[in-house]
Amino acid sequence: MYPAELVKPMREDLTKVGFEELHTAEAVDVAIAKEGTTLVVVNSVCGCAAANARPGASMSIQNDKKPDHLVTVFAGVDKDAVNAARGYMIPFPPSSPCIALFKDGELVHMLERHHIEGRPAEMIAENLKDAFNQVC
């Protein structure tokens, strides 16, 4: 587990733009079950989360169409919440960071770590915007 003071600014990268932090498996279950679209970011302390995933997710919601709900869980911190979120992302293997879009509880779009790592935040944002334009 990472110390709270270490991850606080990394959490705030998403919460300051409207993402709700989920800390329990129950909170994840409630979020995924909501009607409409839900974007789930599995946050991480790694460099590709800092340079690509968090900025890409933040940029993606600057779009005419966007998810109804924005949530995040933190790998290495919120273990139960992360495990619950990953359970909804099957058949994709666990990875962090990763970003998943759900519609009415169904997984409809997934960006795994290998889609994020080494790609500019702008490319991630465009990928997500395309998904939002089709699904939201």
Side-chain angles (χ1 to χ4, degrees), residues 1-60:
M1 296 302 241
Y2 297 107
E5 62 274 5
L6 173 72
V7 299
K8 184 178 186 286
M10 298 174 207
R11 289 182 184 273
E12 290 173 349
D13 283 345
L14 294 174
T15 60
K16 71 182 178 190
V17 297
F19 282 80
E20 175 189 0
E21 289 183 301
L22 305 177
H23 303 285
T24 66
E26 294 79 17
V28 170
D29 293 341
V30 168
I32 299 295
K34 287 183 179 176
E35 189 174 318
T37 51
T38 303
L39 186 67
V40 179
V41 176
V42 177
N43 203 348
S44 170
V45 299
C46 72
C48 64
N52 313 84
R54 291 192 301 267
S58 296
M59 284 187 262
S60 74

Side-chain angles (χ1 to χ4, degrees), residues 108-128:
V108 294
H109 188 73
M110 182 75 180
L111 287 175
E112 297 176 83
R113 180 185 176 106
H114 70 88
H115 297 123
I116 295 169
E117 195 171 31
R119 289 177 174 76
E122 295 81 7
M123 183 180 285
I124 292 160
E126 288 305 314
N127 178 290
L128 292 170

Side-chain angles (χ1 to χ4, degrees), residues 32-34 36-38 88 100-109 135:
I32 299 295
K34 287 183 179 176
T37 51
T38 303
Y88 288 101
L101 181 63
F102 295 85
K103 182 170 185 172
D104 298 327
E106 299 282 332
L107 179 64
V108 294
H109 188 73
V135 177

